Amino acid sequence: LYRARFRACQAVLGGGDRDADGDVRESRRRYGDLRRELIGVERAALLGLRTDGKLRPDVQRLIQRDLDLEEARLTS
């Protein structure tokens, strides 16, 4: 997870010759939008596992908490 976050930060911030402020802000926005969408997909999969009885409630809460925290870390 942290390696993926680090690579995402490198991709957003390591643009070299790009127009610094505008491009970085746009890249961050796009990354945030995409990550929020993926978190939604993860939540749907989590609910599907719960509905199928394949997920204990305590595990569901832990995963949901991680998703909540990650979503909160994203800039709006």
Side-chain angles (χ1 to χ4, degrees):
L1 177 64
Y2 291 109
R3 283 187 196 122
R5 286 181 183 159
F6 181 72
R7 284 191 300 272
C9 287
Q10 282 181 316
V12 169
L13 300 175
D17 294 336
R18 299 184 318 174
D19 174 25
D21 290 338
D23 285 350
V24 169
R25 264 188 247 123
E26 178 62 20
S27 294
R28 285 182 188 161
R29 186 195 61 75
R30 286 194 327 258
Y31 173 78
D33 291 347
L34 179 59
R35 189 60 197 123
R36 273 187 276 286
E37 185 176 340
L38 290 173
I39 288 171
V41 171
E42 291 177 64
R43 287 184 195 282
L46 187 64
L47 292 176
L49 289 170
R50 182 194 68 185
T51 300
D52 294 343
K54 297 180 180 179
L55 193 63
R56 294 188 336 237
D58 59 321
V59 175
Q60 177 192 351
R61 283 191 300 274
L62 286 172
I63 296 170
Q64 193 140 12
R65 178 183 174 272
D66 286 344
L67 293 174
D68 291 344
L69 290 172
E70 188 168 355
E71 191 171 41
R73 280 187 212 107
L74 296 171
T75 58
S76 23

